Amino acid sequence: MGRDVIIACDFASKEQVFEFLDKFTGKKPFVKIGMELFYAEGPEIVREIKARGHKIFLDLKLHDIPNTVKKSMAVLSRLDVDMTNLHAAGTVNMMQAALEGLTRPDGTRPMLIAVTQLTSTDQESMENDLLIKQPIDEVVMHYAANAAKAGLDGVVCSPLEAGKVHDRCGKNFVTVTPGVRFADGDIGDQKRVMTPAAAKEIGSDYIVVGRPITAAADPVAAYERCCSEFIG
Ligand code: C5P
């Protein structure tokens, strides 16, 4: 498994995403397709981006009963994505069912990673809305350990947590980290950010970068800068 930069293609339509991807005439970046684009354009958008030679992280964050997740993962696996995800809050059983669904008849499967606690959930909302009283850092680490126990490949986490996740779950357990900003860039609505170089230093395996690339005056140059800082 190699370190890589994943571009968050948070666009609302096929036209916008293709206008963006057409700029990349050299290396085809690994891209993340989220709910907005997937729900707007359907599974065909995944096939079309794949056919252009990109690796795809399909970020749909499944969370349902194990049987439903298993069957849905089988469908996503047939789309030939490279990475997909679910909520660890769905339990170890649900994560194991997801892995079974994702595994193709020939034994191959996309990487499966878990969302622990969304970064939009803080200690107060976790205690008041979810009735979870433990410190949020412990909850995040416990969910990561559950994902490892279920056999998943890794978790989405803040780059600030990547080192701790590796300590708890092993260095081969993958960390996929959003919240990345250039040292001289806007942080936007991200609260806790890290530069690509710092994310490399702390041991992130994949960084997910959206606006610092998609909203840059020269997206290809911004992507290349990210790759050189993170991959070297
Ligand atoms: O534009 P920006 O670099 O902030 O995009 C980050 C991407 O990572 C977005 O697609 C966002 O939804 C996603 N993400 C995040 N924080 C999380 C989980 C996912 O920013 N905790």
Side-chain angles (χ1 to χ4, degrees):
M1 166 257 319
R3 229 180 296 126
D4 209 351
V5 173
I6 303 178
I7 304 181
C9 284
D10 293 323
F11 297 104
S13 72
K14 179 175 160 164
E15 290 70 29
Q16 287 169 7
V17 74
F18 286 153
E19 189 190 331
F20 172 74
L21 293 178
D22 281 345
K23 299 182 200 296
F24 294 83
T25 50
K27 183 186 167 194
K28 302 278 183 187
F30 199 143
V31 300
K32 178 170 91 71
I33 300 176
M35 289 187 221
E36 184 185 13
L37 186 60
F38 189 80
Y39 292 149
E41 300 290 352
E44 196 51 32
I45 190 73
V46 176
R47 294 188 191 98
E48 286 185 36
I49 295 177
K50 189 81 198 174
R52 286 170 165 239
H54 296 271
K55 284 190 171 176
I56 296 178
F57 168 20
L58 189 56
D59 178 19
L60 299 181
K61 301 185 180 69
L62 273 64
H63 187 173
D64 207 318
I65 60 171
N67 185 54
T68 301
V69 169
K70 180 177 172 177
K71 289 179 170 172
S72 307
M73 285 294 184
V75 174
L76 299 185
S77 190
R78 290 198 292 274
L79 279 179
D80 200 21
V81 297
D82 299 279
M83 182 188 286
T84 192
N85 63 357
L86 46 61
H87 276 282
T91 75
V92 172
N93 267 347
M94 188 201 79
M95 291 192 268
Q96 287 169 335
L99 269 185
E100 282 173 31
L102 213 51
T103 305
R104 304 180 182 110
D106 65 359
T108 64
R109 63 168 176 79
M111 288 177 72
L112 183 61
I113 58 167
V115 174
T116 56
Q117 282 291 351
L118 292 171
T119 43
S120 50
T121 306
D122 60 9
Q123 186 73 36
E124 193 186 347
S125 54
M126 205 180 63
E127 288 187 16
N128 295 340
D129 300 352
L130 308 179
L131 293 181
I132 299 171
K133 303 294 182 192
Q134 281 86 348
I136 193 158
D137 292 359
E138 267 179 40
V139 175
V140 166
M141 289 304 146
H142 180 66
Y143 283 16
N146 281 352
K149 185 171 150 193
L152 269 66
D153 302 294
V155 287
V156 185
C157 63
S158 149
L160 299 153
E161 293 160 351
K164 274 190 275 176
V165 168
H166 282 137
D167 291 345
R168 174 89 179 247
C169 304
K171 69 172 176 22
N172 292 328
F173 192 68
V174 166
T175 53
V176 179
T177 62
V180 173
R181 292 294 180 266
F182 292 120
D184 51 3
D186 265 355
I187 74 164
D189 55 0
Q190 293 283 10
K191 300 229 166 9
R192 301 188 304 151
V193 299
M194 212 180 247
T195 62
K200 172 185 181 181
E201 194 63 32
I202 209 160
S204 292
D205 298 291
Y206 295 88
I207 51 174
V208 176
V209 188
R211 288 159 293 179
I213 295 174
T214 56
D218 183 345
V220 177
Y223 171 69
E224 283 167 359
R225 177 179 173 191
C226 240
C227 290
S228 73
E229 286 189 21
F230 183 63
I231 305 168

